[in-house]
Amino acid sequence: MKPKNTNGSAGRQKERRKSAVESAVFYTAVLLLSAAAVLWARIGLNPSGFFARLLLIIVVLEIGSILPIWISLKARLKEIEGGEEDAAAQY
């Protein structure tokens, strides 16, 4: 059951949504920049063997971490929309 939104709670929900989206965008950008830096270092250093594979694994893990961020954002936005924090604040 969704609690009724008042102007105050609607404003708080809007701020929470904005904050959640900003966080996801920022962390995605950090991961992409980090992956680009590791790839750049891998190309510039021209490593061989284990070190080359390790750098490649790091890049794959960083890029692979982006999808869970957006899945978590979707779940977080549902929580905010449902008013769960507002309902919990009443207790």
Side-chain angles (χ1 to χ4, degrees), residues 2 12-25 69-85:
K2 289 185 181 181
R12 285 191 302 268
Q13 284 184 355
K14 183 178 179 181
E15 186 62 33
R16 288 182 191 130
R17 282 192 303 270
K18 180 182 174 190
S19 177
V21 171
E22 287 174 350
S23 296
V25 169
I69 291 170
W70 292 93
I71 292 170
S72 297
L73 175 64
K74 184 178 177 182
R76 175 73 177 126
L77 291 175
K78 280 185 181 180
E79 288 175 5
I80 294 169
E81 183 75 24
E84 293 175 16
E85 287 182 19

Side-chain angles (χ1 to χ4, degrees), residues 55-68:
L55 291 176
L56 192 58
I57 289 170
I58 290 170
V59 169
V60 169
L61 290 175
E62 287 176 340
I63 293 174
S65 298
I66 294 172
L67 182 61

Side-chain angles (χ1 to χ4, degrees), residues 25-40:
V25 169
F26 175 77
Y27 193 56
T28 299
V30 168
L31 284 174
L32 289 173
L33 287 173
S34 177
V38 172
L39 277 176
W40 179 68

